[in-house]
């Protein structure tokens, strides 16, 4: 399955939308991105696709750790 | 008063996002260890200079010195040398980019009477730097991507500039 990230940059902010990631692979990719960008001095705002939100509802322990 | 100073509106200092590191460490310890150990200072400098090039491509003048309001030209501030300086036809005194030892990118200029032009250049540069960081990590993580200009979002900011849209897949 194709994994896709849509990224929008404006006014010094980043929005990232992850699609096509299954289960915890989405969280893993998001965390890796945030970790690397943070080390570069960049703050991120992550926005999830509808599918990801449904997966997240099924795994509330992941949501509980979100900022 | 006319004086070249380090401006408030810098990019953030490099930092470790501990929540992301902790989760990644649980799911994929090897990747977490690699991400934590990556030396980002050369990457920050590369992204910073790529962003300068990108601004040059958009018509911004790239130089190595800036001037204060009285025309006094400098190539450093408090001993901190410039990565580059950015100027426009309407702002020839210019704004400098400084990379601190910890990797923080800061701006320096004499902002007397030039606040709006400096803010515009800062926002342009921040967007360009973010874009270069994203592109760098997409490549490292094995994504193919396209970069296109996106319409201005209705943010209520009358000076809002055109954004950038990156679509990546693997």
């Amino acid at each position: 399955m194709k994994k896709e990230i849509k990224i929008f940059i404006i006014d010094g902010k980043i929005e990232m939308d992850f699609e096509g990631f299954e289960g915890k692979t989405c969280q893993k990719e998001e965390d890796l991105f945030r970790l690397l960008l943070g080390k570069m001095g960049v703050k991120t705002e992550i926005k999830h696709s509808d599918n990801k939100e449904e997966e997240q509802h099924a795994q509330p322990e992941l949501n509980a750790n979100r900022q | 008063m006319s004086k070249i100073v380090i401006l408030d509106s810098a990019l953030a200092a490099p930092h470790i996002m501990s929540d992301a590191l902790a989760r990644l460490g649980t799911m994929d310890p090897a990747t977490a260890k690699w991400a934590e150990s990556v030396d980002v200072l050369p990457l920050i400098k590369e992204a910073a200079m790529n962003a300068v090039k990108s601004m040059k491509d958009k018509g911004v003048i790239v130089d190595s010195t800036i001037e204060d309001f009285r025309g006094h030209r400098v190539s450093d501030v408090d001993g901190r040398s410039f990565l580059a300086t950015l100027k426009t036809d309407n702002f020839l005194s210019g704004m400098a980019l400084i990379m601190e030892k910890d990797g923080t990118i800061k701006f320096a200029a004499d902002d007397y009477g030039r606040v709006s032009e400096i803010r515009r250049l800062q926002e342009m540069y921040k967007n360009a730097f973010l874009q270069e960081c994203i592109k760098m990590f997409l490549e490292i993580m094995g994504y193919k991507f396209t970069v296109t200009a996106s319409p201005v979002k209705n943010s209520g900011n009358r000076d809002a500039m055109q954004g950038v849209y990156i679509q990546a897949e693997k």
Side-chain angles (χ1 to χ4, degrees), chain A residues 2-14:
Chain A
K2 186 172 74 174
K3 296 174 182 175
E4 194 171 34
I5 309 177
K6 295 174 180 174
I7 303 159
F8 186 78
I9 304 170
I10 194 166
D11 289 348
K13 294 181 180 176
I14 303 174

Side-chain angles (χ1 to χ4, degrees), chain A residues 4 7-8 12 28-29 39, chain B residues 36 38 127 143 150 166-167:
Chain A
E4 194 171 34
I7 303 159
F8 186 78
K28 180 184 156 186
E29 203 77 341
K39 289 189 71 169
Chain B
E36 192 178 16
V38 170
N127 286 343
Y143 285 89
S150 70
I166 301 175
Q167 186 162 11

Side-chain angles (χ1 to χ4, degrees), chain B residues 113-152:
Chain B
R114 310 314 300 262
V115 172
S116 63
E117 187 64 18
I118 286 174
R119 281 190 185 152
R120 195 180 79 84
L121 267 182
Q122 286 175 335
E123 290 309 310
M124 271 184 82
Y125 185 78
K126 282 181 183 178
N127 286 343
F129 180 75
L130 299 187
Q131 183 182 330
E132 293 303 326
C133 291
I134 292 281
K135 284 162 60 181
M136 186 180 285
F137 289 127
L138 286 173
E139 282 181 6
I140 291 172
M141 293 162 74
Y143 285 89
K144 292 180 179 175
F145 58 89
T146 56
V147 181
T148 52
S150 70
V152 174

Side-chain angles (χ1 to χ4, degrees), chain A residues 11, chain B residues 116 119-120 152-162:
Chain A
D11 289 348
Chain B
S116 63
R119 281 190 185 152
R120 195 180 79 84
V152 174
K153 270 192 165 181
N154 184 16
S155 62
N157 177 4
R158 65 183 176 84
D159 294 324
M161 285 171 293
Q162 191 172 46

Side-chain angles (χ1 to χ4, degrees), chain B:
Chain B
M1 183 179 169
S2 171
K3 186 182 177 186
I4 291 171
V5 295
I6 305 290
L7 303 169
D8 289 338
S9 183
L11 285 152
H15 53 282
I16 294 286
M17 292 186 165
S18 53
D19 62 327
L21 178 61
R23 275 193 304 268
L24 190 60
T26 304
M27 290 183 277
D28 187 344
T31 301
K33 190 174 180 181
W34 168 80
E36 192 178 16
S37 67
V38 170
D39 178 9
V40 291
L41 290 181
L43 300 181
I44 291 172
K45 188 166 187 180
E46 183 180 338
M49 294 312 293
N50 286 344
V52 168
K53 183 178 181 304
S54 139
M55 292 190 68
K56 187 177 182 180
D57 293 342
K58 291 175 183 168
V60 173
I61 301 163
V62 176
D63 200 357
S64 58
T65 59
I66 55 176
E67 293 178 12
D68 67 14
F69 192 72
R70 296 173 183 166
H72 178 236
R73 183 175 299 184
V74 298
S75 57
D76 71 85
V77 171
D78 299 334
R80 292 126 120 175
S81 57
F82 302 154
L83 283 177
T85 66
L86 305 173
K87 303 175 179 180
T88 66
D89 290 336
N90 295 326
F91 179 49
L92 289 171
S93 52
M95 178 185 78
L97 302 169
I98 293 171
M99 182 174 157
E100 299 284 19
K101 287 180 181 173
D102 70 352
T104 307
I105 302 291
K106 292 185 175 176
F107 306 110
D110 181 352
D111 63 356
Y112 180 76
R114 310 314 300 262
V115 172
S116 63
E117 187 64 18
I118 286 174
R119 281 190 185 152
R120 195 180 79 84
L121 267 182
Q122 286 175 335
E123 290 309 310
M124 271 184 82
Y125 185 78
K126 282 181 183 178
N127 286 343
F129 180 75
L130 299 187
Q131 183 182 330
E132 293 303 326
C133 291
I134 292 281
K135 284 162 60 181
M136 186 180 285
F137 289 127
L138 286 173
E139 282 181 6
I140 291 172
M141 293 162 74
Y143 285 89
K144 292 180 179 175
F145 58 89
T146 56
V147 181
T148 52
S150 70
V152 174
K153 270 192 165 181
N154 184 16
S155 62
N157 177 4
R158 65 183 176 84
D159 294 324
M161 285 171 293
Q162 191 172 46
V164 170
Y165 176 64
I166 301 175
Q167 186 162 11
E169 64 178 51
K170 70 175 178 181

Side-chain angles (χ1 to χ4, degrees), chain A residues 24-58:
Chain A
K24 291 185 176 179
T25 61
C26 181
Q27 184 73 58
K28 180 184 156 186
E29 203 77 341
E30 173 192 324
D31 284 335
L32 180 56
F33 245 102
R34 291 181 62 219
L35 191 55
L36 291 171
L37 289 171
K39 289 189 71 169
M40 298 286 281
V42 172
K43 293 178 180 176
T44 56
E45 294 176 12
I46 306 288
K47 188 169 96 179
H48 297 114
S49 68
D50 291 343
N51 288 340
K52 176 72 190 305
E53 290 295 337
E54 288 168 11
E55 290 165 8
Q56 289 293 308
H57 287 309

